[in-house]
Amino acid sequence: MDEELEGGLVEDDFIIPPVKYEYLDHTADVQLHAWGNTLKEAFEQCGMAMFAYMTEMDYVQIKEVHTIEANADDLMGLLYHFLDELLFLFSVEPFLICKKLVITEFNTEEFRIVCKCYGEEFQIGKHPQGTEVKAITYSAMQIIDQPKDNKYEVFVIIDI
Amino acid sequence: MVVRQYNEELKYLEKINPYCWKIKKGFQPNMNVEGVFYVNNTLEKLMLDELRNSCRPGMTGGFLPGVKQIANVAALPGIVGKSVGLPDVHSGYGFAIGNMAAFDTSDPTSIVSPGGVGFDINCGVRLLRTNLHEKDVQPIKEQLAQSLFDHIPVGVGSKGIIPMNARDLEEALEMGMDWSLREGYVWAEDKEHCEEYGRMLNADPSKVSLRAKKRGLPQLGTLGAGNHYAEIQVVDEIYDKFAAGKMGLERLGQVVVMIHSGSRGFGHQVATDALVQMEKAMKRDQIAVNDRQLACARINSVEGQNYLKSMAAAANFAWVNRSSMTFLTRQAFGKQFKMAPDDLDMHVIYDVSHNVAKIEEHVIDGKLKTLLVHRKGSTRAFPPHHPLIPVDYQLTGQPVLIGGSMGTCSYVLTGTHQGMTETFGSTCHGAGRALSRAKSRRNLDYKEVLVKLEEMGISIRVASPKLVMEEAPESYKNVTDVVNTCHAAGISKKTVKLRPIAVIKG
Amino acid sequence: MSNIFKLKLTALGHPNPDGFNCEDEKEYRSVVLWLEDQKIRHYKIEEREGLRNIDSEQWKKAYNTYQTDLVSPVVQGTPNEQLNWLLCYAVRLEYADNVTKYKNAKVEEPKKAAPNVVSSNPLDNLDFSSPAFKAGVERICAIAGVGPHVDPKFQLAAVAKILKSAPHPDHPKSEVNMVHQPTDVQKLLFIQDLRDLQTKINEALVAVQCVTADPRTDTTLGRVGR
């Protein structure tokens, strides 16, 4: 067992995952493209891509952890609601800007996600202001889930 | 989507005059009415290029081209007249941005669509005048820009500085600007110069999700980010002396303040919530549409009514938001010039909404009809003598405020009778994007953009540096092209041109 | 202000209207006392004691009571406003006492400096009742789309309003316009009424604001600017 640090965090929580996302061209908005070794990782990366668009990640410290839950009727809905929950976490108390996301429950049959969100409260002055994300959209949303080719990718357009 | 060669597609388009194209039925399936869009030569090229690109093989994903979106809207149940694309049209979520469409409320199958309003409900522009001249402001321009930046919370993660609790928010959602008025943040005269007098009466906060309220509360009184801004501008050209005079714009160099903002996270959440509800309603009522993004519900269904009531609450939120920033602007100017804002004559000239749906009466084929008019990235532009415009503008027509992009000019237009008959009293709303954000960031240099702005004599305060490239004038369609097209097509009339001297942005 | 005081004091027969200095507290008080003693006579002589003690600190209180008793509308106003009202009141009483005397008073007309000039402006000599004038007005009205009215001057006023609002009337002649134009003129005539109504609404709103308004900001809630 790791030694518990401040805010219920353990040492492993401070390991930052590698970046597996990019931002694609879109006229008025921006398209997030994320991938991973599993679909779960692609989802996590997609969430982190969204946060990285709002500020510069180098300035964000992991100080607290919050847990969110998302439920939906289908896989696209699940991605949509997952991101919407993350956006909500940023928009209201605790105003959390996340550096790291770990999905602890990834149920693609009942379409349910439980995710641990590591980061700190967004503070103007400390965190450079990036672009505001207004909403998540279903527009041109794609989820590539091909275990045969070990290919897991998601595409989401966020409204900014 | 129907896939055809570009040349085949063009057969469905017809240029009916130098500024107007018709989209014939059949361009997209099930069109109930024809489409129409207004462009000049430059904008026409942008429009058709977008269509041509989408016809290239292998083009999937992203948005449909604007022309296709206008045509898909023409296929929605209950639409009357035509689906109209304004000169600044570009593709958006479901409806194109710069698209207006009216639905007959007496037809039980008619729909209301959140995509036809947009995520930023009642995003709009407010213009305040002053009695200052450019030469009064020039020596202290930097200080004034800084003062505005210090007063108005901007950018991602900023929070409002007007103390509000959950109960205040409920009241503000119900009362709109009447709330601001009651609390003393605005003047009585401000109210009469707003669309709907700054309050939609059908607002019902109880139809709004707790989630939306939670997102909205900390953000009330904040400018936001993206294309939102507060600008200090000067009168650069007066085209219509009489109408300008009625607005209190008497001379060149007169200083005004333009505020462009909307309903923030609150409006976005209301729209998001409604889209979820409407997907269910569409299945139940078997509403067929060409594009999944055109989620909608019958106007008279529970979902439709709930949306209209919560949309009205979001509209009220936006008015309170712009009113709070009016208050902060007046304070900033008052402190800087050590004068009371009323001695600076800081009256609201007008306040327009460009993302909203409203019940309005229009004449269709000689008959008066009650319609639900969707305007997304489109501004209401009612003609002279219309009963819904303020008494001060009865002779001039409704002022229409067209915000430029960063560093470019803005315009004040007025509504015309021709616009009333051709476009349901609607006109353009701004420049409209031409380059993608990522492309802007790649192609434009941060420093170069700033130097260019400085050369133009524009002070700038921006919270997010990358926004400087994304919002650079090069990323947008030329607002002058857009406005000139509206003027030449007769759907609104140029009154005043405004030139920015200081910009505050998220 | 002092000029107005001088005129009114002269009219009332004050012994020294030219020398009165309203800024001098003592002179101010004597004039108030003089007005009550000689002109207004609202109190019995023994009740005027408070006003008579010009040097007393209680005088102001007595003066206030006096004004309240006279139902002066400007008790809350500046001393000059208060005095002005008292003077007007005294003049009114003086006139009421001697209506017949003053009714016949005539103001001497100052001789006009310039001789009468015959106007060369043809508009000054227009005969508004002449058939030519009527016909002319009818013709303009037809162009501007103003409906018929018995009084051509009335129609002309409407045309003027249209011309002011739309310098180049460009009204296509269609049946729709036959209906629209007269209604537009009607609306023009009511714009002023509407403005008055809106102003009254605004005044009411301001009155309510006096009770409810309490705008506050709290910069600790969020950092603004940088």
Side-chain angles (χ1 to χ4, degrees), chain B residues 372-397:
Chain B
L372 180 63
V373 182
H374 290 62
R375 293 192 184 88
K376 180 187 194 180
S378 163
T379 317
R380 192 186 80 176
F382 278 170
H385 306 301
H386 195 284
L388 292 183
I389 65 176
V391 54
D392 294 342
Y393 302 125
Q394 280 289 314
L395 296 177
T396 65

Side-chain angles (χ1 to χ4, degrees), chain B residues 120-140:
Chain B
D120 195 352
I121 295 166
N122 193 8
C123 180
V125 175
R126 180 175 289 195
L127 190 63
L128 306 177
R129 67 170 184 242
T130 74
N131 54 15
L132 297 164
H133 190 270
E134 189 176 5
K135 64 177 190 296
D136 304 324
V137 172
Q138 213 47 257
I140 55 160

Side-chain angles (χ1 to χ4, degrees), chain B residues 186-415:
Chain B
V186 288
W187 303 344
E189 299 86 351
D190 296 350
K191 183 174 154 67
E192 60 168 300
H193 285 176
C194 289
E195 278 186 34
E196 313 280 310
Y197 294 91
R199 174 181 189 170
M200 280 187 128
L201 291 168
N202 62 331
D204 184 353
S206 74
K207 304 293 182 205
V208 176
S209 70
L210 189 60
R211 204 176 167 83
K213 288 173 188 168
K214 278 187 171 171
R215 271 185 80 175
L217 185 55
Q219 288 185 340
L220 194 58
T222 62
L223 184 71
N227 59 353
H228 293 155
Y229 59 78
E231 268 185 3
I232 305 172
Q233 307 171 333
V234 294
V235 175
D236 196 49
E237 231 175 301
I238 296 178
Y239 307 102
D240 182 343
K241 211 160 178 271
F242 172 76
K246 283 278 173 196
M247 299 173 198
L249 299 176
E250 306 279 1
R251 57 196 194 281
L252 298 181
Q254 191 175 342
V255 173
V256 297
V257 181
M258 184 176 271
I259 298 169
H260 176 200
S261 185
S263 52
R264 316 285 293 107
F266 183 87
H268 309 146
Q269 194 64 47
V270 166
T272 302
D273 292 341
L275 286 173
V276 175
Q277 293 304 312
M278 291 197 174
E279 292 231 332
K280 290 174 192 158
M282 284 172 80
K283 273 180 205 153
R284 184 195 58 210
D285 297 336
Q286 296 172 342
I287 305 174
V289 294
N290 288 347
D291 177 358
R292 188 186 169 183
Q293 288 178 24
L294 291 168
C296 56
R298 289 190 177 145
I299 297 173
N300 294 321
S301 68
V302 177
E303 293 82 5
Q305 283 301 309
N306 284 352
Y307 172 67
L308 285 172
K309 286 170 186 169
S310 50
M311 182 207 72
N316 287 345
F317 183 100
W319 277 309
V320 172
N321 200 30
R322 288 198 284 277
S323 296
S324 300
M325 282 181 287
T326 304
F327 174 75
L328 298 169
T329 304
R330 283 174 177 155
Q331 284 210 322
F333 268 71
K335 277 187 204 161
Q336 207 53 233
F337 289 95
K338 299 186 178 60
M339 273 171 89
D342 42 345
D343 291 332
L344 290 168
D345 194 38
M346 294 186 76
H347 282 282
V348 170
I349 291 178
Y350 205 62
D351 179 299
V352 296
S353 313
H354 49 227
N355 276 6
V356 82
K358 289 185 191 186
I359 305 272
E360 287 171 10
E361 294 196 324
H362 288 270
V363 178
I364 307 264
D365 304 328
K367 277 192 208 122
L368 190 67
K369 292 243 177 195
T370 306
L371 308 177
L372 180 63
V373 182
H374 290 62
R375 293 192 184 88
K376 180 187 194 180
S378 163
T379 317
R380 192 186 80 176
F382 278 170
H385 306 301
H386 195 284
L388 292 183
I389 65 176
V391 54
D392 294 342
Y393 302 125
Q394 280 289 314
L395 296 177
T396 65
Q398 179 207 314
V400 179
L401 311 173
I402 306 301
S405 47
M406 186 173 68
T408 65
C409 288
S410 294
Y411 288 86
V412 182
L413 316 177
T414 46

Side-chain angles (χ1 to χ4, degrees), chain A residues 130-131, chain B residues 225-226 406 437 462 464-472 505-506:
Chain A
T131 307
Chain B
M406 186 173 68
R437 287 171 191 275
V462 183
S464 163
K466 67 177 169 185
L467 208 66
V468 173
M469 291 88 79
E470 291 185 0
E471 296 292 322
K505 276 182 86 78

Side-chain angles (χ1 to χ4, degrees), chain B residues 12-24 34-39 44 82-83 418 422 489:
Chain B
Y12 290 91
L13 304 179
E14 183 193 340
K15 193 169 184 170
I16 51 178
N17 69 44
Y19 301 99
C20 190
W21 285 65
K22 187 160 82 176
I23 306 170
K24 292 184 221 169
E34 290 183 326
V36 70
F37 60 94
Y38 292 84
V39 283
E44 173 184 308
K82 51 210 157 184
S83 171
Q418 194 185 343
E422 276 189 30

Side-chain angles (χ1 to χ4, degrees), chain B residues 150 161 181-182 192 392 395, chain C residues 188 195 209 212 218 224:
Chain B
D150 289 342
I161 58 166
L181 200 57
R182 189 187 74 186
E192 60 168 300
D392 294 342
L395 296 177
Chain C
L188 282 167
R195 183 60 259 173
Q209 273 190 316
T212 60
D218 180 356
V224 288

